[in-house]
């Protein structure tokens, strides 16, 4: 009897342990997640369609939804506002069956009219919004943006819940319409007074409050179509552009995540407790210095190449980036399907830089202004490191510090001689390389106004390639051509690192932008600090 009783006790203890493990893995509804927007001291706008800034995507991912979404776990785009899509044999016509359970935060049911209205607004020639470059791939989009048509002919409402989109080329629209700034707004609402301060979306969380420079709070939307999979009741998106402030807040358990810069990465790795909560991802972002090709010295390819040869990028990555980066050997990152594994980065060769400058007529060098913001990984810290290297070959750089929000205005407007930034270079190689296509506007993403006939031929051929293998080979050649032409100084591809508290669960390894998370998947367990 004693033996049976002992076995029963052990069995009960074992079952209790299993139940405890299962409970720990089971999402818990309720509570508040304190997230961070780490790329600036403010949001530039609450109209995400008008924004080129990654910083603004933090609130957009909670409030809004797009036709497609990015599945960070599977690393593929998936349908979001449609349940099914039929594709024509020539891959030019996409017919979407739209969700009938998607409701805006004002209670209005989403229909095809809302998508057509949103895409048309993005392409408005009077606005020149950043996502207009994606609309250019829709038939009639370019004519509408040029003021030659009153509507976009490739957008057709079949009925309230059926939308037909005709493309100019057989590109994959999933990569175009998964972008957060292609968010769908309720038709007729976006330009009304008040929308810019109280945005209305289709996302899992509705806008609650915005305290400029401090935080934006959203609350669970009860009519969200996947409401049973939305866990936290509230998300506080805290604006914390200062890395040291994030560090203090994280260590004090005031925030649930923190995006780490190089110095913090080293410190957190060395900490026995903090090192347990690190998520690392190779992101599809390229850090670089962009050149204004209308600025006389940069008109010559040899000058641009000299800039690349003059800088010891490997040393900067090791000493300043603390190896939280991968050396760039072109525009497309290592995770891109069109990345050329045999491509070599520019060597550190100051003497070759001097020779190229002399051949270009700049034996005595030249002066140039470099606009940058304060950022440990790709901002003024890096600019200060490259200034003496460039000066040794005769390129005299004067740093022009600006706020992050100002940089996002200056660059698309072309108001610079050179600038330092971090730009998206994936996950779709075709979309990434579109930023060097001569027909892509500076306002959209061709910031250098790069124009090269050979590149254009490769890019145009890639758009109509019949297989992914053929497309990627053409884009690989296009990428190598861009490296040769050097419209930028190629610095690095980002290794993103995010620290998270032990009570936070559901984070996704988002290679498109690690810090941009699907908030509805996040949940906090019982160990979350009291009052949350």
């Amino acid at each position: 009897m004693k033996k049976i009783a002992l076995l029963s006790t052990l069995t009960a203890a074992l079952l209790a342990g299993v139940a405890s493990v299962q409970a720990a893995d089971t999402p818990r509804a309720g509570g508040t997640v304190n997230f961070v927007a780490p790329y600036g001291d403010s949001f530039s706008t609450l109209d995400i369609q008008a924004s080129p800034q990654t910083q603004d995507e933090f609130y957009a991912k909670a409030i809004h939804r797009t036709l497609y979404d990015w599945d960070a776990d599977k690393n593929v785009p998936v349908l979001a506002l449609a349940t099914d899509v039929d594709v024509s044999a020539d891959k030019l016509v996409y017919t979407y069956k739209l969700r009938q359970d998607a409701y805006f935060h004002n209670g209005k049911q989403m229909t095809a009219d809302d998508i057509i209205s949103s895409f048309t607004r993005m392409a408005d020639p009077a606005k020149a919004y950043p996502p207009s470059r994606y609309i250019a791939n829709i038939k009639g989009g370019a004519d509408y943006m040029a003021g030659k048509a009153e509507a976009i002919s490739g957008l057709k409402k079949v009925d309230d819940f059926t939308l037909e989109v005709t493309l100019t080329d057989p590109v994959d629209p999933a990569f175009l319409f998964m972008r957060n700034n292609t968010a769908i707004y309720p038709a007729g609402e976006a330009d009304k007074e008040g929308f810019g301060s109280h945005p209305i979306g289709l996302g899992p969380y509705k806008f609650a409050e915005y305290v400029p420079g401090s935080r934006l709070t959203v609350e669970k939307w009860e009519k969200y179509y996947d409401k049973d999979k939305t866990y936290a009741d509230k998300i506080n998106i805290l604006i914390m552009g200062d890395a040291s402030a994030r560090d203090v807040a994280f260590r004090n358990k005031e925030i649930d995540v923190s995006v780490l810069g190089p110095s913090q990465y080293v410190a957190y790795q060395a900490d026995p407790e903090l090192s347990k909560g690190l998520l690392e991802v190779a992101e599809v972002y390229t850090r670089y210095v962009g050149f204004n090709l209308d600025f006389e010295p940069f008109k010559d390819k040899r000058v641009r190449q000299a800039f690349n040869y003059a800088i010891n990028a490997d040393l900067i990555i090791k000493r300043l980036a603390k190896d939280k980066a991968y050396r760039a050997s072109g525009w497309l990152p290592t995770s891109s399907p069109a990345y050329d594994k045999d491509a070599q980065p520019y060597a550190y060769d100051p003497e070759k830089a001097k020779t190229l400058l002399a051949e270009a007529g700049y034996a005595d060098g030249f002066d140039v202004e470099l606009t940058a913001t304060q950022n440990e990984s790709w901002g003024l810290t890096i600019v200060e490191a490259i200034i003496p290297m460039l000066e040794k070959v005769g390129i005299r750089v004067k740093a022009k510090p600006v706020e992050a929000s100002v940089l996002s205005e200056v660059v698309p407007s072309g108001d610079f001689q050179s600038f330092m930034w971090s730009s998206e270079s994936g996950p779709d190689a075709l979309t990434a390389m579109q930023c060097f296509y001569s027909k892509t506007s500076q306002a959209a993403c061709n910031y250098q106004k790069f124009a090269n006939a050979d590149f254009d031929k490769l890019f145009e051929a890639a758009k109509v390639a019949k297989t992914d293998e053929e497309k990627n080979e053409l884009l690989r050649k296009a990428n190598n051509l861009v490296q040769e032409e050097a419209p930028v100084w190629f610095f690095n591809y980002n290794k993103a690192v995010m620290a998270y508290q032990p009570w936070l669960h559901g984070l996704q390894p988002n290679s498109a932008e690690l810090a941009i998370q699907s908030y509805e998947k996040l949940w906090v367990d019982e160990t979350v600090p009291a009052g949350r």
Side-chain angles (χ1 to χ4, degrees):
M1 293 292 291
K2 288 183 179 179
K3 186 175 182 180
I4 293 174
L6 179 60
L7 286 172
S8 297
T9 301
L10 289 172
T11 301
L14 180 60
L15 290 174
V18 171
S20 176
V21 170
Q22 289 176 335
D25 292 335
T26 302
R28 169 178 172 262
T32 298
V33 172
N34 283 347
F35 212 80
V36 293
Y39 301 141
D41 297 323
S42 65
F43 293 128
S44 67
T45 174
L46 296 188
D47 179 357
I48 190 59
Q49 291 180 0
S51 174
Q53 273 210 60
T54 301
Q55 176 81 343
D56 297 331
E57 296 185 46
F58 287 92
Y59 72 77
K61 195 64 176 174
I63 296 173
H64 297 293
R65 277 297 173 266
T66 48
L67 185 56
Y68 290 84
D69 197 6
W70 177 250
D71 187 325
D73 294 309
K74 297 180 180 178
N75 224 34
V76 294
V78 294
L79 287 171
L81 295 179
T83 57
D84 191 34
V85 60
D86 180 70
V87 185
S88 63
D90 61 4
K91 297 184 179 180
L92 292 178
V93 182
Y94 284 69
T95 304
Y96 297 92
K97 289 296 181 183
L98 304 179
R99 304 190 73 103
Q100 297 188 36
D101 56 355
Y103 288 85
F104 290 101
H105 301 154
N106 61 0
K108 179 186 181 297
Q109 186 179 25
M110 183 201 73
T111 68
D113 290 323
D114 300 304
I115 297 179
I116 292 173
S117 171
S118 293
F119 284 174
T120 302
R121 182 176 187 264
M122 294 171 207
D124 187 336
K127 295 182 171 68
Y129 285 152
S132 62
R133 67 184 173 115
Y134 309 125
I135 310 303
N137 289 277
I138 299 175
K139 183 179 179 181
D143 284 342
Y144 180 77
M145 285 185 277
K148 298 177 181 178
E150 295 183 358
I152 301 173
S153 59
L155 295 174
K156 179 183 177 183
K157 172 184 174 181
V158 178
D159 58 46
D160 279 351
F161 301 104
T162 307
L163 173 70
E164 184 180 279
V165 179
T166 302
L167 305 174
T168 56
D169 301 294
V171 298
D172 187 351
F175 288 104
L176 304 176
F177 305 130
M178 57 168 253
R179 311 286 168 162
N180 288 316
N181 58 0
T182 64
I184 304 305
Y185 291 170
E189 293 292 328
D191 295 311
K192 287 184 178 179
E193 185 177 355
F195 187 90
S197 58
H198 196 292
I200 299 168
L202 289 159
Y205 292 90
K206 61 182 179 180
F207 176 85
E209 184 182 21
Y210 176 42
V211 181
S214 177
R215 63 174 171 82
L216 188 148
T217 299
V218 294
E219 297 173 345
K220 185 187 292 188
W221 172 232
E222 296 301 333
K223 287 188 176 182
Y224 181 59
Y225 50 83
D226 269 342
K227 62 182 178 181
D228 293 336
K229 296 180 182 178
T230 304
Y231 304 112
D233 288 335
K234 183 167 68 174
I235 311 288
N236 288 318
I237 304 169
L238 305 171
I239 302 171
M240 305 186 83
D242 183 75
S244 59
R246 290 197 304 274
D247 181 46
V248 171
F250 188 82
R251 290 174 184 271
N252 289 339
K253 302 180 179 180
E254 296 168 359
I255 56 177
D256 297 334
V257 298
S258 182
V259 175
L260 304 186
S263 299
Q264 290 178 350
Y265 178 46
V266 173
Y268 279 50
Q269 280 182 311
D271 188 293
E273 291 303 316
L274 295 178
S275 61
K276 295 176 182 177
L278 296 180
L279 181 60
E280 301 182 17
V281 170
E283 279 186 341
V284 288
Y285 275 79
T286 299
R287 275 74 186 272
Y288 65 104
V289 168
F291 306 134
N292 185 337
L293 301 188
D294 287 334
F295 179 59
E296 193 61 41
F298 290 142
K299 289 181 179 180
D300 195 308
K301 177 174 70 174
R302 292 168 295 187
V303 172
R304 306 192 299 264
Q305 291 174 330
F307 198 105
N308 276 272
Y309 282 118
I311 300 172
N312 190 340
D314 288 321
L315 179 64
I316 296 173
I317 289 172
K318 186 173 185 61
R319 296 283 179 84
L320 293 181
K322 310 295 184 184
D323 287 325
K324 198 186 83 69
Y326 307 93
R327 178 74 191 280
S329 56
W331 185 253
L332 296 176
T334 56
S335 56
S336 173
Y339 174 76
D340 187 347
K341 60 181 177 57
D342 296 323
Q344 296 297 315
Y346 278 88
Y348 173 51
D349 193 338
E351 291 307 312
K352 187 167 186 176
K354 290 178 183 178
T355 299
L356 286 168
L357 287 171
E359 291 176 357
Y362 293 96
D364 296 327
F366 63 93
D367 298 292
V368 60
E369 188 175 75
L370 203 167
T371 305
T373 190
Q374 189 58 260
N375 184 289
E376 186 181 9
S377 299
W378 49 266
L380 289 168
T381 302
I382 306 302
V383 172
E384 290 168 0
I386 69 175
I387 285 177
M389 296 179 183
L390 291 164
E391 190 170 5
K392 287 182 179 178
V393 303
I395 302 176
R396 297 174 293 276
V397 174
K398 179 182 179 182
K400 182 180 179 181
V402 297
E403 294 293 331
S405 58
V406 174
L407 185 66
S408 68
E409 295 175 356
V410 165
V411 174
S413 70
D415 186 18
F416 61 85
Q417 292 180 350
S418 64
F419 67 91
M420 187 156 200
W421 219 4
S422 173
S423 289
E424 191 176 60
S425 48
D428 177 43
L430 188 68
T431 304
M433 296 310 293
Q434 185 176 350
C435 293
F436 296 95
Y437 185 44
S438 65
K439 293 182 181 179
T440 300
S441 71
Q442 185 172 46
C445 71
N446 189 357
Y447 305 132
Q448 294 76 223
K449 293 200 294 187
F450 182 73
N452 180 282
D454 292 332
F455 176 90
D456 286 354
K457 289 178 183 177
L458 289 167
F459 181 77
E460 288 167 357
K463 288 207 298 183
V464 298
K466 294 181 179 180
T467 66
D468 286 341
E469 290 77 10
E470 181 187 355
K471 178 184 71 174
N472 290 332
E473 179 58 28
L474 288 164
L475 291 174
R476 195 172 293 118
K477 291 178 180 178
N479 184 49
N480 290 341
L481 188 151
V482 168
Q483 188 203 27
E484 167 70 16
E485 289 294 318
V488 306
W489 167 55
F490 301 97
F491 180 31
N492 70 47
Y493 311 125
N494 183 44
K495 178 198 289 186
V497 182
M498 189 157 62
Y500 60 93
Q501 301 288 8
W503 57 78
L504 182 67
H505 306 269
L507 288 170
Q508 310 107 52
N510 186 6
S511 63
E513 169 58 63
L514 178 60
I516 304 295
Q517 293 283 312
S518 295
Y519 298 108
E520 70 275 15
K521 295 181 180 181
L522 304 182
W523 58 280
V524 292
D525 64 32
E526 291 83 354
T527 64
V528 66
R532 297 270 299 280

